[in-house]
Amino acid sequence: MSTESNGKNERLKHINFGGVSRREFLKTTMKAGVVVASSEYMLNPSQSMVQQVAMKSGAEEFVFAYISDSHLLARGKEHRFARALTKAVEDVNAMKPQPDFILYGGDLAQLGLRDEFSLGKEIIAPLKPKLYMMVGEHDWYYDMGEAWKEFFGKPTCSFDHKGVHFVVLNSILVEDYWSEKKMTPMERMLFMAQLDNPRGRPFTVGEEQRKWLKEDLAGVGRGTPVVVFSHSPLYKYYRPWNFWTDDAEEVQALLAPFKSVTVIHGHTHQVLTNKIKNVVFHGMLSTAWPWPYAPEGIPRLTVQMDRADPFNQFDGTGWGTAAVTARGKIDKTYNLWDRNPMVVSYEKLLTVKEQVAGPSY
Amino acid sequence: MGIPYKIFLCFCLCLATLPYAAKAEDSSVDNASNDLRQSREKAVQVVTACDGRKKVIVEGCQEGEAMPEQKARKVAELLMTLMEFCEDEIIAKLPKTGMFIQLSVNGMPYVTVGDTEEIPLILVHGGKAHTEREKKIWAAEMNRMITEGYALFHSPGLGKNGISCDMCHPDASNTHPETYPKYQTQMNKAVLLRDMINWCIENPMEGDKLAEDDQKMKAVEAYIISARAGKKLEPGKH
Amino acid sequence: MTRTHREERGNLMQRVMEMMIHCFMVYCIFCFLQPAAFPQPEGDSYVLSLPPGVLEPVIPENNPLTKEKIALGRNLYFDKRLSADDTISCATCHDPQKGFADGRTVAVGIKGQKGPRNSPTVLNAAFFDTQFWDGRALTLEDQAKQPIVNPKEMGMPSHDALVEKISNIPGYRTSFKTVFGTDKITIDHIVTAIASFERTLISFNAPFDRFIAGKNDAISDSAQRGWKLFQGKARCITCHEFNRSYPFFTNNKFHNVGVAMKGEDFGSLARKAASSGADPSLLAQEEASAELGRYLVTKEPKDIGAFKTSGLRNIALTAPYMHDGSELTLESVIEFYNKGGVSNPNLDGGIRPLNLTEDEKKDLVEFMKSLTSDDLPESGATVK
């Protein structure tokens, strides 16, 4: 509910190449950290500069894409959320070259129903590269993950790709409050689905998974870059909206010995950047709608996106890519539909001192 | 209203009390006036506001004696509260110690109030405090309206595509009811909060808009306004 | 006494001198502050007649409206000698008899050449933030410069060539001298005069204006239903902005509604455009690259295939529609939006299927027909 936001002025402006070579331009902009709209960056955001350079610089560098938080309702392919996911799938399929793999970041469904999963599976079927599915609370709490697991397999796994160790967690576990209250499955689902639920329970990774993670990481060399996919942020941002992982410190401790760790998380539906000790955290965009920034606790590294125009369903939503550098660091691109793309490079995170001002909510 | 102003007012009030002694002789003979008549006998000082209709009897303070600063402030605050509120004749008794003030409106019997903030409530009710029953009813009915709005705000029932208000506005964030009326670019005109609610129902939520006097509309407004009460307003950002 | 007298006289002389010096200084400052573009000799100033409450259009400080300049601009506007082969005037494509457009799909210039885009109306153009479908000109003066040297439009080899041609026409020499006080005509003189004339081409007084002013029966019931739909279900008013201050039905912004995306590979087109570093006004002449729209100006990916929101006043007079003239009737425009535009990777997120009924579509068309003014300017002018 906004008139034209003054924040628009703060949006980073198009950078003209002038006489600078593309390579130099990239170097500069990567140092500048947040880059918007290179002239080369066209309809097909895969051809972003970040990616092109990454592809040129060495065998170990690669790009993966993400799509997240589509919140599908079983209302057919013409429903706005289904149209948005379709758009993301088309965008990723148009990437040249194709990403090494795709992460789906959780909350494919809105109410954890089979019809929602089957619609989602149909829409994402055309994706060509390998797809890793992660679970979100909207996928889980109708039947405690039963249908999701049937559709997409195990919610927790790890794999290695081009020298990087990837971990996929189910980080939306909460303590059982429903048995005592004799909630029906749908009551439980709706209870979890409400972001501003004052009686909501905080997410956890849980003891069992932390134990699994410890064992999984035991075989990984300290110098190996580690990338963790988690639906919840794996840190503590804003408790009233469950932008929060209650055992975040324990999980972070397991990741502490590693030289290069990046967490890519869903759930927050916004451009969000954080760094705690050795761990860098990047949020993923939702294809469905943007959440407002929380009234407090916004990590200081975050360059906040402007409020979206509710007339425009593609404003403040989108998908993105991550370019893994030779050093195992990640340069994250937010492909905001109907805005220019934003790149948050690892280099930039090292140089930011002040909180970046943004809109208030 | 800054402190210098209050001190100035104190000074004016002190001046205003000078002709008091003569006036007091003419007062009628109800309880409050008796108090005034006795004022010279007891250790009290009477301070009259410039409208001549509001008086404070300050106990434990001799006529002509300079009041301690804190006391003077209290007297000034009391008189200002009384003057701001009504035109009636009011006599207030300020005890030597303790916080209870006694008020007599238009010669009615004294009522006791705990603080100057309670005074308006006492005055509207003709000198009677609200009962606990009244207060409970009011709170319950207000909360019922807000709760009804909360439920509508948090369910997809207002729209037709499964989307609910809270999806974009958790805790009614980004609604800014205090900024209306304002120009909304979606409608390209100046609108009220209810117009924006209806716009959201029709557009992102693809539903049918509510009549402006629909109880549901009022309830949603009630929730939004109550949820946002006291939130910081930053002009230019909303 | 005498001495005193003399002193007083001396003082008086001194004061007169001082006064003269002051006057001279003020005159110097005044001259200095005069708009720098050209010396502007006196002319009868012209005041636009606007309905109460409508925001004044921005008129450049160095181009105040005068009756003489408007008359000169009018002559230039209708003069085919502004084109290379004396066949095309401004009015050829912006014809007063055709709502100041041309009724064609795309503009036709000298030697029958077709341009890539539909001619927009000049009516009320003074109120728009930018000119051209891609907004590449910020003023009417800037706008007027471009078709003159566009090889597909008026086809003059250069602005200098036009200046020379105009300078050799005796009638113009006199009127330029009267208006601008100089014998040396420049391209800026020519376009400021044309722009001044164009600023007078404003039109209100449509039935809808009377309806808004409170006359309920000024438009049909169907049109009234259409107006409600326009503001509600049909989602028009967000871009086709209307309010009493700015009643022109445009938000002056650029949107990709899918008109441009007709099976072309816009990604590669855009890359080509970006790397060539070419002038947008040149790219806009090419059929393929012209479809990139606003992107040509901003080079921002979000603007690929985005075109300016058209105003809707007198829209019934200016068929066909869209930047490429691809929709022939108002009915087909409504149909276009009803199905949610044309899907493409850069489709504006505000465009979605509208589920309008047949009656609702008719009502919207009726509403748009109520936007035609009763008293269009230059109604007597004919274009030969």
Side-chain angles (χ1 to χ4, degrees):
Chain A
M1 294 194 182
S2 167
T3 49
E4 276 293 293
S5 164
N6 283 353
K8 289 250 158 70
N9 301 331
E10 289 157 27
R11 187 183 305 162
L12 292 146
K13 294 283 181 331
H14 161 71
I15 297 162
N16 206 329
F17 281 104
V20 185
S21 80
R22 198 178 67 192
R23 188 102 197 181
E24 281 167 330
F25 167 79
L26 236 197
K27 270 197 230 153
T28 326
T29 48
M30 295 294 266
K31 270 182 201 151
V34 184
V35 185
V36 173
S38 76
S39 323
E40 296 256 315
Y41 189 101
M42 289 312 113
L43 278 188
N44 176 352
S46 68
Q47 284 140 2
S48 78
M49 315 282 291
V50 175
Q51 187 183 345
Q52 287 183 1
V53 164
M55 300 315 269
K56 281 175 191 166
S57 304
E60 294 306 310
E61 301 191 346
F62 62 94
V63 167
F64 63 89
Y66 77 80
I67 302 174
S68 194
D69 292 88
S70 300
H71 294 265
L72 296 178
L73 289 150
R75 289 165 183 248
K77 285 184 173 175
E78 284 307 306
H79 186 270
R80 55 180 284 182
F81 292 171
R83 276 164 46 119
L85 177 58
T86 308
K87 183 177 169 73
V89 168
E90 285 170 0
D91 283 358
V92 172
N93 270 347
M95 283 175 72
K96 287 176 195 163
Q98 283 283 284
D100 280 22
F101 61 85
I102 299 157
L103 165 71
Y104 190 87
D107 287 353
L108 177 67
Q110 168 70 2
L111 300 170
L113 302 173
R114 278 171 196 275
D115 286 350
E116 294 171 349
F117 292 130
S118 89
L119 175 65
K121 191 155 188 172
E122 189 187 339
I123 296 173
I124 60 180
L127 286 170
K128 287 171 257 178
K130 165 101 181 127
L131 175 67
Y132 292 95
M133 291 297 292
M134 184 158 67
V135 76
E137 81 278 13
H138 286 260
D139 303 319
W140 193 260
Y141 282 95
Y142 179 65
D143 59 7
M144 303 309 290
E146 202 178 298
W148 190 90
K149 283 186 273 191
E150 268 175 45
F151 273 90
F152 304 111
K154 282 195 293 185
T156 310
C157 69
S158 69
F159 60 94
D160 292 292
H161 183 83
K162 292 187 178 170
V164 179
H165 187 67
F166 287 90
V167 176
V168 185
L169 292 177
N170 172 2
S171 57
I172 47 82
L173 301 172
V174 305
E175 60 173 348
D176 180 354
Y177 56 83
W178 49 87
S179 300
E180 191 197 344
K181 295 206 164 80
K182 297 195 169 69
M183 285 182 172
T184 65
M186 189 43 86
E187 281 168 351
R188 176 177 61 206
M189 180 67 247
L190 291 172
F191 191 90
M192 282 308 295
Q194 184 187 331
L195 191 78
D196 61 0
N197 186 347
R199 293 170 299 153
R201 299 294 201 282
F203 292 135
T204 63
V205 172
E207 203 178 330
E208 196 184 325
Q209 254 184 131
R210 291 202 308 271
K211 192 163 160 262
W212 171 87
L213 181 62
K214 193 175 177 183
E215 286 164 14
D216 180 73
L217 294 174
V220 180
R222 296 299 187 244
T224 304
V226 175
V227 177
V228 180
F229 297 143
S230 159
H231 185 71
S232 73
L234 282 192
Y235 62 95
K236 292 171 172 172
Y237 168 8
Y238 187 61
R239 174 71 177 79
W241 294 351
N242 222 350
F243 289 179
W244 192 270
T245 310
D246 223 34
D247 53 357
E249 287 86 352
E250 284 100 316
V251 179
Q252 288 166 19
L254 296 174
L255 299 166
F258 295 90
K259 215 174 141 190
S260 172
V261 185
T262 311
V263 171
I264 309 267
H265 66 86
H267 189 59
T268 49
H269 300 202
Q270 58 195 226
V271 174
L272 191 65
T273 315
N274 197 7
K275 187 172 183 296
I276 300 170
K277 294 176 187 163
N278 63 323
V279 187
V280 174
F281 301 83
H282 291 290
M284 286 186 269
L285 295 173
S286 159
T287 57
W289 77 88
W291 285 121
Y293 284 98
E296 56 195 47
I298 304 166
R300 84 186 157 82
L301 291 174
T302 300
V303 175
Q304 294 175 39
M305 59 187 194
D306 294 337
R307 282 185 59 184
D309 176 359
F311 182 78
N312 182 342
Q313 78 160 100
F314 298 142
D315 194 12
T317 52
W319 57 285
T321 59
V324 183
T325 68
R327 293 169 56 217
K329 306 298 185 189
I330 280 182
D331 294 327
K332 176 87 187 319
T333 302
Y334 293 91
N335 288 318
L336 287 151
W337 291 320
D338 277 16
R339 298 191 188 187
N340 294 318
M342 262 178 82
V343 180
V344 180
S345 79
Y346 180 76
E347 292 298 317
K348 168 70 173 181
L349 301 186
L350 300 179
T351 58
V352 172
K353 296 279 189 289
E354 301 295 317
Q355 170 106 40
V356 183
S360 71
Y361 296 86
Chain B
M1 210 171 283
I3 286 172
Y5 175 76
K6 287 192 178 177
I7 291 169
F8 173 71
L9 196 79
C10 276
F11 178 69
C12 294
L13 291 169
C14 291
L15 288 180
T17 55
L18 290 178
Y20 166 70
K23 272 189 190 169
E25 302 293 336
D26 309 326
S27 301
S28 52
V29 284
D30 56 28
N31 287 343
S33 301
N34 285 341
D35 283 338
L36 292 176
R37 190 169 301 144
Q38 290 156 17
S39 65
R40 275 175 300 181
E41 295 149 32
K42 289 184 184 175
V44 295
Q45 186 177 135
V46 179
V47 185
T48 308
C50 45
D51 68 351
R53 301 167 73 81
K54 312 284 187 297
K55 290 167 181 143
V56 177
I57 300 170
V58 187
E59 294 179 348
C61 183
Q62 292 286 352
E63 200 68 53
E65 178 189 334
M67 268 181 251
E69 189 186 332
Q70 212 179 348
K71 194 104 179 170
R73 279 177 199 279
K74 179 91 178 168
V75 171
E77 185 191 9
L78 185 52
L79 278 170
M80 279 191 297
T81 309
L82 295 174
M83 289 213 301
E84 273 166 22
F85 196 77
C86 65
E87 297 282 300
D88 301 66
E89 297 234 11
I90 302 173
I91 296 167
K93 274 202 281 192
L94 199 61
K96 187 176 177 184
T97 54
M99 60 179 295
F100 290 100
I101 304 162
Q102 288 192 299
L103 286 185
S104 165
V105 184
N106 294 328
M108 300 275 287
Y110 278 108
V111 252
T112 307
V113 291
D115 203 312
T116 44
E117 281 171 26
E118 273 187 40
I119 290 172
L121 284 177
I122 300 295
L123 295 182
V124 261
H125 284 262
K128 283 194 182 131
H130 304 311
T131 66
E132 286 307 305
R133 181 183 59 80
E134 284 173 319
K135 288 183 195 169
K136 274 182 188 162
I137 291 171
W138 300 344
E141 292 306 310
M142 181 188 74
N143 288 334
R144 188 195 313 285
M145 188 185 200
I146 294 169
T147 307
E148 192 187 327
Y150 181 94
L152 290 162
F153 196 87
H154 287 80
S155 79
L158 288 176
K160 286 183 179 167
N161 60 3
I163 293 173
S164 54
C165 310
D166 63 313
M167 281 185 171
C168 296
H169 304 282
D171 290 330
S173 55
N174 275 354
T175 53
H176 299 293
E178 73 282 20
T179 61
Y180 290 88
K182 70 176 165 190
Y183 189 90
Q184 284 286 164
T185 53
Q186 292 81 15
M187 286 166 270
N188 275 310
K189 59 182 173 189
V191 299
L192 300 174
L193 175 63
R194 71 198 63 162
D195 299 308
M196 194 63 206
I197 293 169
N198 264 339
W199 186 88
C200 284
I201 289 173
E202 272 199 305
N203 288 277
M205 297 160 73
E206 298 179 61
D208 297 324
K209 64 181 181 183
L210 299 171
E212 287 199 19
D213 60 353
D214 192 315
Q215 181 57 29
K216 287 180 184 169
M217 170 61 81
K218 294 177 187 177
V220 171
E221 278 191 313
Y223 165 64
I224 292 174
I225 292 166
S226 68
R228 295 294 307 180
K231 293 286 189 295
K232 194 176 163 196
L233 176 61
E234 292 175 77
K237 286 193 170 181
H238 309 303
Chain C
M1 283 296 281
T2 329
R3 221 182 110 211
T4 319
H5 223 90
R6 194 176 300 140
E7 268 178 18
E8 273 181 3
R9 270 180 63 186
N11 284 343
L12 195 68
M13 288 285 284
Q14 204 177 330
R15 275 190 206 153
V16 170
M17 287 290 285
E18 275 172 9
M19 236 157 81
M20 282 172 70
I21 291 166
H22 282 157
C23 286
F24 181 71
M25 280 166 67
V26 168
Y27 175 75
C28 287
I29 291 165
F30 183 76
C31 292
F32 182 73
L33 289 177
Q34 277 285 308
F38 336 100
Q40 300 273 353
E42 295 296 308
D44 291 338
S45 66
Y46 179 94
V47 180
L48 294 176
S49 139
L50 303 178
V54 172
L55 285 185
E56 296 271 343
V58 176
I59 297 174
E61 273 184 34
N62 61 2
N63 190 17
L65 289 178
T66 66
K67 285 174 185 161
E68 293 80 0
K69 193 161 37 178
I70 291 164
L72 171 60
R74 187 180 182 285
N75 286 339
L76 290 163
Y77 184 91
F78 286 101
D79 194 336
K80 292 179 174 176
R81 289 173 293 187
L82 266 65
S83 64
D85 61 1
D86 298 350
T87 58
I88 306 286
S89 70
C90 303
T92 309
C93 299
H94 304 285
D95 182 347
Q97 300 309 314
K98 292 171 180 161
F100 288 84
D102 59 6
R104 296 173 187 272
T105 304
V106 291
V108 176
I110 60 166
K111 296 171 191 150
Q113 296 179 93
K114 284 186 178 173
R117 291 182 187 160
N118 179 259
S119 303
T121 181
V122 183
L123 285 170
N124 298 322
F127 294 91
F128 301 153
D129 284 358
T130 61
Q131 306 297 333
F132 292 118
W133 281 103
D134 53 19
R136 65 183 184 273
L138 296 179
T139 61
L140 288 168
E141 286 82 352
D142 264 1
Q143 190 280 332
K145 279 182 186 172
Q146 297 194 24
I148 293 167
V149 291
N150 184 329
K152 288 183 177 172
E153 295 184 36
M154 298 162 107
M156 290 301 293
S158 67
H159 286 145
D160 288 345
L162 177 68
V163 169
E164 199 185 332
K165 193 171 173 184
I166 294 289
S167 303
N168 288 329
I169 299 169
Y172 275 132
R173 269 210 304 276
T174 322
S175 35
F176 274 89
K177 172 93 181 171
T178 313
V179 174
F180 297 104
T182 170
D183 290 319
K184 192 172 156 40
I185 298 173
T186 68
I187 186 66
D188 286 324
H189 291 146
I190 294 169
V191 297
T192 48
I194 293 172
S196 293
F197 169 63
E198 288 176 328
R199 289 198 173 95
T200 67
L201 301 177
I202 58 183
S203 80
F204 296 94
N205 293 333
F208 179 74
D209 294 307
R210 293 193 285 280
F211 171 72
I212 285 292
K215 194 167 180 296
N216 283 334
D217 60 353
I219 63 174
S220 68
D221 288 350
S222 170
Q224 292 186 31
R225 289 192 298 272
W227 168 230
K228 279 210 175 103
L229 288 162
F230 187 87
Q231 299 172 87
K233 184 179 177 184
R235 289 164 61 89
C236 311
I237 200 167
T238 305
C239 299
H240 293 287
E241 173 178 344
F242 173 89
N243 49 59
R244 301 272 201 115
S245 309
Y246 195 76
F248 301 103
F249 298 95
T250 174
N251 58 354
N252 287 289
K253 291 190 174 116
F254 303 83
H255 303 276
N256 174 329
V257 298
V259 176
M261 303 288 168
K262 290 182 179 139
E264 291 283 352
D265 177 3
F266 281 88
S268 63
L269 267 175
R271 273 187 295 283
K272 200 172 122 196
S275 56
S276 74
D279 184 341
S281 65
L282 298 177
L283 287 165
Q285 295 166 20
E286 302 303 324
E287 195 169 335
S289 58
E291 295 295 89
L292 294 168
R294 182 64 174 167
Y295 169 78
L296 294 170
V297 180
T298 63
K299 301 282 166 68
E300 293 189 37
K302 68 179 177 59
D303 290 328
I304 291 169
F307 290 86
K308 193 169 72 176
T309 309
S310 303
L312 298 182
R313 284 190 171 271
N314 305 299
I315 195 73
L317 304 178
T318 60
Y321 304 107
M322 306 300 194
H323 74 268
D324 58 357
S326 57
E327 301 297 339
L328 301 183
T329 62
L330 291 174
E331 286 79 2
S332 70
V333 172
I334 296 295
E335 203 53 64
F336 177 90
Y337 284 112
N338 189 45
K339 68 182 199 302
V342 176
S343 175
N344 74 79
N346 207 32
L347 181 68
D348 190 285
I351 297 295
R352 70 182 193 203
L354 300 169
N355 304 315
L356 298 169
T357 65
E358 290 308 311
D359 283 344
E360 287 172 335
K361 291 176 199 169
K362 281 181 195 147
D363 290 341
L364 281 162
V365 171
E366 277 307 301
F367 161 69
M368 286 194 281
K369 286 180 177 168
S370 78
L371 302 177
T372 305
S373 304
D374 305 337
D375 51 351
L376 290 175
E378 299 293 337
S379 54
T382 48
V383 180
K384 284 162 243 155

